[in-house]
């Protein structure tokens, strides 16, 4: 017979002290560190412990006793349930200050390298409607909040379009209005939902792998173009006809959509990189502009999701690269060649490398589109492609700009960079923790000369960081 679990304690009248990682706040009760979501430094609240470890615990607010003077009112009706914008109740200046601290702490704690002053975080000009891409899951299992369950709320059906709930991968929090993108995306998403409700379109069951409507991706550009990608799962007679009818409805209802795709995804996950997309209407891409340069963005292309702030980020990277027009630059993890083309006019030649072949084709098109003839692009796994033989063939770089995914750079890539021995490295990262790890591997040969955080994602704990490294001696 198993022992009964000891009930977790209620902590009364606890004052929240500071902002912590992952969008949580931190309090201390005697020697115990307590992490709390959706609270602000200065709040006093009763906390119910939900998980207890030896020297810390996680808790949630069950009653606010006193609100912090720092607290601001969230604008989103889904705040506190949706995990997307955990800091909407924190003033933006406080968010920027913590992101600066987060970068400094991780570079010091993980990197253990000598640092210059970490500059103040460059804030986003727009803190709402700043994203150019959002993805919404479709599920036949909508998430019910505690309040809805307690009130006995019943729905005619449990279908919903929205965001996945952390810890409940098959459930969706239905979203009525998201503030992260131009409001047209709310109209498009809600129209898909309403049309599906009215035309007997089933929603996907992730566990059973059954149901027609699976996922919706919406992108827009600063040139006014819109792309919509609807994922279906054809498994019943007539499913394709229903899907085509929905696509036709969207095309008629929203002439603003300039690029309309659909895909029949039979995999267990929603990624589309390996899927064959069908262009239903319009162009197979949208165009972003930056400093007079045009960038083609296809349905599988990576492009920074905050267009205005991406310009600031790339300006920082270009400034740190200190190009004179004589340099051979390697742009690692180049994506659609945005950084490569952005710096090409200040360099002798730029070599871009990227894993996704479709992105490399877009990078080549982007160079051609902008009359840039001093770029070369190659597709392949970075650790396999960036070798000593590759460098011997294409030349030793004077400057390397690297912008890897969250996992950072493979140790083989770091080793090849060290052997290539460029004068300067500019490391752009969306994850300061893995950036710090990689910089520690470079530290024997390179010194950090500048650190500049850039906020791409207001109201979230995520931050981009740019580090300049100079070759020692």
């Amino acid at each position: 017979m198993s022992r009964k679990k000891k009930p977790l304690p209620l902590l009364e009248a606890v004052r929240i002290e500071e902002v912590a990682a992952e969008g949580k706040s931190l309090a201390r009760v005697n020697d115990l560190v307590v992490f709390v979501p959706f609270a602000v430094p200065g709040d006093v609240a009763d906390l119910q412990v939900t998980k207890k470890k030896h020297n810390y615990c996680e808790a949630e607010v069950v009653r606010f006793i006193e609100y912090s003077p720092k607290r601001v009112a969230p604008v989103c009706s889904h705040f506190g349930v949706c995990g997307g914008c955990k800091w909407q109740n924190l003033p933006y200046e406080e968010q920027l200050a913590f992101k600066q601290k987060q970068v400094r702490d991780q570079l010091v704690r993980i990197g253990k390298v000598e640092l210059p002053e970490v500059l103040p975080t460059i804030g986003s000009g727009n803190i709402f409607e700043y994203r150019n891409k959002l993805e919404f899951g479709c599920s036949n299992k909508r998430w019910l909040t505690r309040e809805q369950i307690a009130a006995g709320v019943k729905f005619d059906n449990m279908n919903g379009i929205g965001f996945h709930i952390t810890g409940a991968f098959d459930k969706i929090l239905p979203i009525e209005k998201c503030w992260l993108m131009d409001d047209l995306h709310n109209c498009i998403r809600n129209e898909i939902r309403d049309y599906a409700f009215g035309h007997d379109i089933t929603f996907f069951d992730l566990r059973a792998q059954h149901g027609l409507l699976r996922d919706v991706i919406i992108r827009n550009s600063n040139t006014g173009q819109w792309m919509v990608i609807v994922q279906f799962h054809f498994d019943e007679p007539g499913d394709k006809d229903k899907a085509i009818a929905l696509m036709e409805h969207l095309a008629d209802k929203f002439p603003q959509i300039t690029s309309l795709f659909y895909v029949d995804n039979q995999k267990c996950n929603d990624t589309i990189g390996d899927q064959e997309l069908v262009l239903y209407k319009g162009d197979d891409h949208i165009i972003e502009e930056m400093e007079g340069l045009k960038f083609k963005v296809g349905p599988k292309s990576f492009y920074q999701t905050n267009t205005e702030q991406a310009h600031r980020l790339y300006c920082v990277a270009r400034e740190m690269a200190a190009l004179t027009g004589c340099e051979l630059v390697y742009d690692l993890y180049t994506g659609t060649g945005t950084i490569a083309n952005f710096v090409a006019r200040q360099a002798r030649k730029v070599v871009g490398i990227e894993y996704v072949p479709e992105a490399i084709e877009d990078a080549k098109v982007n160079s051609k589109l902008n009359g840039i003839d001093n770029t070369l692009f190659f597709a392949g796994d970075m650790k396999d492609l960036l070798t000593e033989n590759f460098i011997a063939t294409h030349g030793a770089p004077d400057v390397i700009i690297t912008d890897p995914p969250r996992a950072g750079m493979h140790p083989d890539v770091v080793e090849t960079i060290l052997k290539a021995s460029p004068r300067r490295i500019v490391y752009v990262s969306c994850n300061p923790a893995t950036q710090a790890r990689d910089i520690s591997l470079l530290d024997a040969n390179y010194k950090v000369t500048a650190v500049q955080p850039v906020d791409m994602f207001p109201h979230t704990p995520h931050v981009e960081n740019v580090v300049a490294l100079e070759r020692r001696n």
Side-chain angles (χ1 to χ4, degrees):
M1 185 175 179
S2 62
R3 289 185 300 172
K4 273 190 173 181
K5 284 188 177 180
K6 188 177 179 180
L8 294 170
L10 177 70
L11 307 175
E12 297 183 304
V14 177
R15 183 173 294 276
I16 305 299
E17 296 179 15
E18 58 186 281
V19 179
E22 299 177 359
K24 297 175 183 176
S25 291
L26 180 149
R28 292 178 178 85
V29 179
N30 299 322
D31 294 330
L32 188 67
V33 175
V34 186
F35 295 103
V36 188
F38 305 116
V40 170
D43 285 339
V44 179
D46 293 339
L47 307 177
Q48 175 61 59
V49 175
T50 57
K51 184 185 295 184
K52 192 172 188 306
K53 299 293 183 181
H54 177 65
N55 56 351
Y56 78 93
C57 69
E58 297 182 17
E60 54 189 36
V61 175
V62 293
R63 181 174 73 99
F64 282 104
I65 298 170
E66 179 183 328
Y67 286 116
S68 168
K70 291 182 177 179
R71 175 179 284 270
V72 294
V75 301
C76 181
S77 62
H78 303 294
F79 177 79
V81 183
C82 171
C85 298
K86 295 178 180 178
W87 283 353
Q88 271 196 36
N89 56 0
L90 190 66
Y92 190 51
E93 296 76 16
E94 297 280 339
Q95 297 179 31
L96 296 178
F98 178 74
K99 293 183 183 191
Q100 179 191 23
K101 180 179 182 296
Q102 176 187 346
V103 166
R104 183 192 306 110
D105 289 350
Q106 290 180 330
L107 289 177
V108 169
R109 179 173 55 85
I110 300 171
K112 296 181 173 64
V113 297
E114 182 184 355
L115 293 177
E117 177 190 3
V118 176
L119 296 170
T121 309
I122 298 175
S124 178
N126 295 314
I127 62 172
F128 295 107
E129 297 189 0
Y130 61 82
R131 287 187 67 101
N132 58 38
K133 179 184 177 184
L134 283 172
E135 182 169 354
F136 299 95
C138 307
S139 174
N140 65 346
K141 293 183 175 67
R142 68 177 293 154
W143 177 260
L144 297 178
T145 65
R146 290 176 180 175
E147 292 76 15
Q148 288 172 330
I149 294 171
V153 174
K154 302 290 184 183
F155 293 93
D156 293 337
N157 66 60
M158 293 295 287
N159 296 330
I161 301 180
F163 296 128
H164 287 277
I165 290 291
T166 303
F169 74 97
D170 62 332
K171 290 184 171 60
I172 287 290
L173 173 68
I175 297 296
E176 184 66 32
K177 179 179 176 65
C178 175
W179 289 77
L180 292 181
M181 197 173 181
D182 183 283
D183 194 51
L184 179 62
H185 94 277
N186 288 311
C187 300
I188 294 171
R189 184 194 63 251
N190 291 343
E191 185 65 28
I192 293 172
R193 175 201 64 197
D194 294 344
Y195 181 93
F197 283 178
H199 291 80
D200 195 30
I201 291 179
T202 56
F203 283 55
F204 196 59
D205 187 316
L206 194 56
R207 291 183 184 272
Q209 292 288 297
H210 181 80
L212 179 56
L213 189 58
R214 179 167 187 163
D215 188 87
V216 178
I217 300 172
I218 303 176
R219 307 181 80 151
N220 71 340
S221 73
N222 61 358
T223 61
Q225 297 175 313
W226 286 79
M227 176 185 291
V228 176
I229 307 163
V230 183
Q231 284 196 50
F232 296 105
H233 184 270
F234 298 159
D235 54 13
E236 295 287 347
D239 273 356
K240 185 172 183 179
D241 291 339
K242 290 180 179 179
I244 295 299
L246 171 57
M247 301 305 287
E248 186 63 26
H249 177 74
L250 289 177
D252 290 342
K253 181 82 175 180
F254 299 103
Q256 302 97 320
I257 299 175
T258 57
S259 182
L260 183 58
F261 288 90
Y262 73 89
V263 57
D264 173 24
N265 184 356
Q266 295 290 322
K267 297 188 308 172
C268 292
N269 62 61
D270 294 331
T271 58
I272 61 172
D274 58 351
Q275 297 292 289
E276 182 178 347
L277 274 63
V278 179
L279 178 62
Y280 183 79
K281 178 194 175 185
D283 299 321
D284 65 354
H285 64 277
I286 55 179
I287 295 290
E288 292 277 8
E289 288 188 355
M290 191 180 293
E291 283 192 3
L293 299 172
K294 298 182 187 303
F295 295 98
K296 175 186 174 184
V297 181
K300 299 180 183 181
S301 299
F302 170 79
Y303 194 86
Q304 290 285 356
T305 52
N306 185 336
T307 303
E308 178 184 309
Q309 201 66 346
H311 180 227
R312 294 187 177 95
L313 179 74
Y314 296 156
C315 284
V316 170
R318 185 174 60 190
E319 181 179 344
M320 288 187 181
L323 302 175
T324 65
C326 302
E327 293 84 3
L328 172 59
V329 178
Y330 277 23
D331 180 26
L332 309 186
Y333 312 92
T334 190
T336 57
T338 317
I339 291 180
N341 285 298
F342 190 72
V343 304
R345 291 172 179 170
Q346 286 80 33
R348 172 170 57 86
K349 183 179 179 182
V350 183
V351 175
I353 305 175
E354 166 63 37
Y355 179 75
V356 181
E358 292 90 348
I360 284 296
E361 292 308 308
D362 283 347
K364 294 175 181 177
V365 170
N366 287 334
S367 286
K368 187 175 180 181
L369 192 63
N370 292 290
I372 295 171
D373 59 7
N374 62 335
T375 56
L376 284 175
F377 294 102
F378 300 90
D381 191 308
M382 189 66 64
K383 65 180 173 55
D384 299 328
L385 192 57
L386 185 68
T387 62
E388 291 181 69
N389 286 338
F390 182 94
I391 291 170
T393 301
H394 299 286
D398 302 298
V399 176
I400 286 180
I401 301 174
T402 181
D403 186 5
R406 290 190 62 78
M409 297 190 293
H410 190 279
D412 290 352
V413 176
V414 176
E415 184 178 345
T416 303
I417 290 174
L418 288 170
K419 288 177 180 176
S421 193
R423 291 199 306 271
R424 190 173 299 110
I425 300 169
V426 179
Y427 192 144
V428 183
S429 175
C430 59
N431 186 348
T434 54
Q435 183 186 45
R437 177 203 66 200
D438 293 344
I439 288 172
S440 71
L441 299 176
L442 296 166
D443 183 59
N445 294 16
Y446 288 88
K447 178 182 180 180
V448 176
T449 58
V451 182
Q452 177 63 74
V454 181
D455 185 24
M456 305 288 288
F457 312 105
H459 310 303
T460 79
H462 303 296
V463 62
E464 293 270 339
N465 189 48
V466 191
V467 171
L469 301 105
E470 295 282 346
R471 190 175 63 203
R472 297 183 188 274
N473 301 323

